[in-house]
Structure formats: structure tokens, C-alpha cells
Amino acid sequence: MRPKERRETGKQDLFRSRLDQIIDLNHALARLARAIDWRFLEERFGAVYTDGPGQPPLPTRLMAGLAILKHTYDLSDEALCERWVENPYYQYLCGEEFFQHRLIFDRSSLTRWRQRMGEEKLLALIQESLSVATKTGALKPSDLSRVIVDTTVQPKNVMFPTDAKLLNRAREILVRLAKKNGLGLRQSYARVGKFALIKQQRYAHAKQFKRANRSLKKLKTYLGRVIRDIGRRIADDDAMKEAFVKPLSLARRVLTQNHKQRGPKVYSLHAPEVECIGKGKAHRPYEFGVKVSVATPLKHSKGGQFVTHVAALPGNPYDGHTLAKVIPEAEVLIGNVIERLIADAGYRGHNAPPDYKFRIFTSGQKRRVTPQIKREMRRRSAVEPVIGHLKQENRMGRNYLAHRAGDAANAVLAAAGYNFRLLIRWLRLLLRQILRLLSAKTQLNPA
């Protein structure tokens, strides 16, 4: 079933006032609501729906507006629901004609909508933000032909992983699942496991590593016993095997892995897709999440430093080996050919398409660097504050969405929220300039 899209009806209500009669239509959010091409978003997001029986989904403008507000103002789903009921400008952006005193959607609708759209459809929000920036004069189309690209880490909402914590947590999950399914275990090790974890942490803090390793060995023993006990009890029960297949697999990986092994490791039991990424930072040697590529125009536009492309890159690839994916996707998103790309030294030995071999310049490069290119390369660090704003103000600093699809969706929505934040500020400044000009004209012509 396709959603019933909202259209301006102009209806009046004897007992309620229309939103456009009680709000300031020159407010930045109201002007943004009129500048966005909602029909374009309806067409892009409506492609995931099919005609059929059933209750129609919520309107596209409502859900897209909520996604924009959530990541523009760094709100959780719960806080967004509370503010939406209180704020008439939020409701106007989402297509309401009359002020709603109650929530007309469920909080879980936001989660289901994000999962249904996925990364590919959500990119339309970035595309529309760049289109609005071009229409309002905040960005010139020519600015999109030369870009800066860099990578960062989008941390996942996980605690810092240690072997002791993972071993104890895996045992607790298995014991809880066994109790839930009525499986009587020989021993749960709940009390002695807790004390072994406390001892291991205290010994490690005191740098008494021999004693810490003995406590770690106890935790491994407790987990191994629980795994074998469960394996024996579900050996002849296919339904029980299906319930325990994933937890047992993760627990065995945690039990057998060590800090010297190569290849993927388990750093979180509730988010096994998390990767350990080192970016060479002294204050934060390792971060746990997923690598994300961020592209921004080389030239600072009137409206600010917009994000032109963002993509999650699972597998912790080498920075230079991401360009084969990033460049074609960025060109499709901006509708322009990338004439020049500036990157840091981590992109040396890149795998960009052959046509772009002489269009990419990295820090420290000497060959083919003209004085103009040398000046442009000094702008490479302009991407760093953009990454900082994405993390601090637009929910990329900690990702709460589940699985790899959540990693990709959160990165795209953070970039869209950042762009719309710049647009709101630009529309506010534009209004001030117009009012200033009108005021000056009135003073010149008092009659």
C-alpha cells in the first residue's frame, strides 16, 4: 500500500487555527519547508512501496521531515516526539495544516521507516539539501566540481571491549537465554564469575598481570563449561538448536580469539559488526565502529562548507582503496563531474578509476602540482571541522542504530542534518539582509 501524501487543501476549521495563521512564515524552518521539493522526495521514497491491500503507511513528508529534524537538532527519537507536539514550526515542516495537540505517529515508526528506506533511498535527503542550497544561493553548482575527501570513524554505541568483559558478558547472555527457554544448567557461575571479573580488573589496574591472567583463565573456564553444558542439553532438540545457534557461535568466537590473531574479531556481543580502527590519534589510539568517507567542496560557499557525499565503508579498507567506490557515487549524487579531488597522504596509491588518475592530488605530492593546485591543497584541512560538526551536532559521534544498515543510514542522515542546519542558518541570515535593506530604503525615503 502506498502512503497517502499530504497536499495543501486550504481548509478552515471553526475550532482550530491554521498553522500558517499563527506562525511567522518568515521563520527559517517555515522558509525551508517551502523550499524543499517534497514531490521529489515522495517519488524517491515511494519507490519502496507497492500497491496492495492493507493500512497505508505514514505520509512521506511527515517521515522525511522527522528525519531531517532529528539529525539537524541532534535529538533522540523520544526527544523528537516530545518536541514535535510542542513546536508548531516542526509540525509545519512535516506538512501539518492545523496544530496537533497529540502525537499522530508512534516512536517505533521512525525505526521502521529508516529500515525500509535504507542507505540508497536516504541519499535523496542529501541530494535535496544540495538542491535547496543551489536554489537559495547558498551554493553554486560550479563549487561541486572540486572536492576534498577524507575518512573518519563513526563510533558504535558499545562499551570499551576487554577480554574479561566479553567473556563474562557472553556467559551471562547464554545463562539468561537458557533460563528463558527452561533449560536447566548444571551451574550458572553467576556469583563466582562476577567476582572473577572484579578481581581481573583490579589486578590489571594494579599492573599485577600474572594474577590478572589467572582470573582471566577462570572466566574462560566458566564460559567454556556453560557452552559445553548447553551443547549437551540441546543436542537432540532442533528447535532449541535454532534458538542458540547465534549466541553459541558468538560465545565460541569470544572464547577462542586472542589479541594477536588476524582477521575479524568480536568486540561487542550485541553489535558483532563493530570493527577496531586505528587512525593514529594520540588521545584515542583505537576506535570501535565503522570507517566513513566524507566529501566536501574545495571552495567555501556563501552558505558554508556543505557535505556533498558520505558513505559507510565496512571492512576497514585502506583509505586510498575507497576512491573506486566514492567517486562514482559522489558524481551520481551531485550530478556533476569531479574535475579535481584533494586528499591527505593516506590516499597515496589509490585505486581511483583510470580517467581520474591525474585529477587526484594528495598531501606532500610534488609532481604535476602547479601554483594554483598548491594553493588549493592548503584548503585540504577544511574537511576536518566538517567532520567535527557531524560528530558533535548531528549524531555521528555515537551511532545507536543497529547492524551495518544502521551504520550506513546514520552516516547519511547525519550529513543531511548537517546540510539542513547550514541551510537554516543561511535562510535566517538571508532574511536579516532583506530586512536590513528594507530598513535602509525606508530611512532614505521617509515620505
Side-chain angles (χ1 to χ4, degrees):
M1 193 76 175
R2 293 185 178 275
K4 292 183 178 179
E5 304 298 356
R6 290 183 170 170
R7 298 288 181 263
E8 183 67 29
T9 62
K11 289 182 179 179
Q12 299 291 336
D13 193 315
L14 181 62
F15 301 103
R16 294 187 298 172
S17 297
R18 290 179 55 84
L19 278 175
D20 53 12
Q21 295 174 352
I22 62 175
I23 66 172
D24 179 10
L25 292 178
N26 286 323
H27 189 277
L29 275 177
R31 299 185 69 190
L32 179 64
R34 296 194 300 271
I36 294 175
D37 186 358
W38 297 107
R39 290 183 182 272
F40 166 74
L41 295 178
E42 290 169 6
E43 181 183 349
R44 292 294 300 273
F45 295 145
V48 303
Y49 300 104
T50 56
D51 290 322
Q55 183 179 357
L58 292 169
T60 299
R61 178 167 178 175
L62 172 64
M63 302 311 297
L66 290 170
I68 291 170
L69 291 169
K70 173 183 171 67
H71 287 265
T72 299
Y73 294 105
D74 189 13
L75 302 172
S76 65
D77 289 351
E78 292 82 359
L80 176 63
C81 293
E82 292 175 3
R83 291 202 186 182
W84 191 89
V85 176
E86 300 169 355
N87 197 319
Y89 292 98
Y90 282 17
Q91 296 187 16
Y92 184 78
L93 179 72
C94 294
E96 295 296 327
E97 291 187 88
F98 298 94
F99 186 77
Q100 300 290 340
H101 297 273
R102 295 181 181 178
L103 205 62
I104 61 171
F105 58 91
D106 190 73
R107 183 191 60 80
S108 59
S109 301
L110 298 167
T111 302
R112 291 194 292 270
W113 186 80
R114 284 192 298 261
Q115 292 173 348
R116 174 170 280 185
M117 292 302 126
E119 178 189 15
E120 183 182 355
K121 299 301 179 186
L122 290 174
L123 284 170
L125 292 175
I126 298 180
Q127 197 170 359
E128 181 57 23
S129 67
L130 296 176
S131 175
V132 174
T134 304
K135 287 189 294 186
T136 56
L139 177 70
K140 293 180 180 178
S142 58
D143 296 343
L144 301 174
S145 60
R146 298 183 180 184
V147 298
I148 311 166
V149 176
D150 198 7
T151 60
T152 186
V153 179
Q154 178 179 250
K156 197 82 167 183
N157 184 34
V158 298
M159 66 179 179
F160 190 87
T162 63
D163 290 338
K165 286 180 183 177
L166 287 171
L167 290 166
N168 188 63
R169 184 64 177 160
R171 179 193 58 77
E172 289 178 344
I173 290 173
L174 288 177
V175 169
R176 188 185 307 122
L177 188 60
K179 185 177 180 180
K180 180 180 177 181
N181 287 276
L183 206 64
L185 298 180
R186 186 170 61 91
Q187 190 173 348
S188 68
Y189 304 96
R191 185 177 63 85
V192 293
K194 176 183 175 181
F195 288 133
L197 175 63
I198 293 172
K199 284 185 178 181
Q200 195 277 339
Q201 292 173 332
R202 288 177 175 173
Y203 289 144
H205 179 71
K207 293 183 169 45
Q208 299 178 10
F209 296 115
K210 286 186 178 179
R211 290 176 174 175
N213 288 335
R214 283 200 292 270
S215 296
L216 185 66
K217 189 175 180 181
K218 283 184 180 179
L219 290 168
K220 286 187 175 181
T221 301
Y222 298 154
L223 177 58
R225 287 177 180 176
V226 170
I227 290 173
R228 291 190 295 273
D229 192 9
I230 291 175
R232 287 191 296 267
R233 294 177 187 277
I234 65 173
D236 300 326
D237 193 336
D238 294 336
M240 203 70 76
K241 281 183 180 179
E242 188 176 353
F244 278 90
V245 60
K246 186 177 179 180
L248 280 176
S249 174
L250 285 174
R252 290 190 179 104
R253 286 177 62 188
V254 169
L255 184 63
T256 57
Q257 70 186 13
N258 60 75
H259 67 281
K260 293 184 179 180
Q261 80 176 44
R262 299 185 66 87
K265 296 171 65 177
V266 177
Y267 297 101
S268 173
L269 290 161
H270 78 272
E273 70 275 4
V274 166
E275 300 161 357
C276 178
I277 303 170
K279 296 291 284 184
K281 300 176 184 176
H283 66 288
R284 196 173 294 169
Y286 300 101
E287 294 178 276
F288 300 91
V290 66
K291 184 174 282 190
V292 173
S293 172
V294 179
T296 184
L298 181 65
K299 183 180 178 182
H300 187 276
S301 306
K302 291 182 180 180
Q305 198 76 28
F306 289 89
V307 173
T308 58
H309 179 262
V310 68
L313 305 167
N316 191 14
Y318 169 63
D319 286 0
H321 293 167
T322 64
L323 293 183
K325 175 185 177 184
V326 168
I327 291 176
E329 290 183 359
E331 288 188 340
V332 171
L333 190 62
I334 64 178
N336 203 345
V337 176
I338 295 177
E339 297 177 359
R340 190 169 296 161
L341 188 148
I342 308 295
D344 61 14
Y347 283 80
R348 289 176 182 172
H350 56 77
N351 65 342
D355 297 343
Y356 296 86
K357 183 178 181 181
F358 299 108
R359 303 186 202 175
I360 297 170
F361 297 88
T362 58
S363 298
Q365 182 174 332
K366 302 299 181 184
R367 291 183 179 181
R368 301 183 290 107
V369 178
T370 63
Q372 181 188 359
I373 295 173
K374 191 173 182 180
R375 287 193 300 271
E376 290 180 348
M377 289 178 70
R378 295 195 190 104
R379 285 275 305 161
R380 191 217 64 82
S381 59
V383 72
E384 302 297 344
V386 173
I387 292 172
H389 285 297
L390 284 170
K391 290 190 172 184
Q392 292 296 324
E393 300 167 4
N394 302 104
R395 303 187 68 79
M396 195 187 277
R398 182 172 288 268
N399 177 25
Y400 296 89
L401 306 185
H403 312 303
R404 292 198 187 277
D407 294 337
N410 191 73
V412 172
L413 289 170
Y418 170 82
N419 284 353
F420 282 110
R421 194 183 192 96
L422 291 183
L423 284 171
I424 290 170
R425 187 182 66 178
W426 167 250
L427 292 171
R428 192 180 295 123
L429 292 173
L430 204 60
L431 177 62
R432 288 177 185 173
Q433 291 175 4
I434 293 171
L435 293 175
R436 194 179 299 118
L437 289 173
L438 292 173
S439 177
K441 187 179 291 187
T442 304
Q443 291 176 2
L444 290 174
N445 302 313

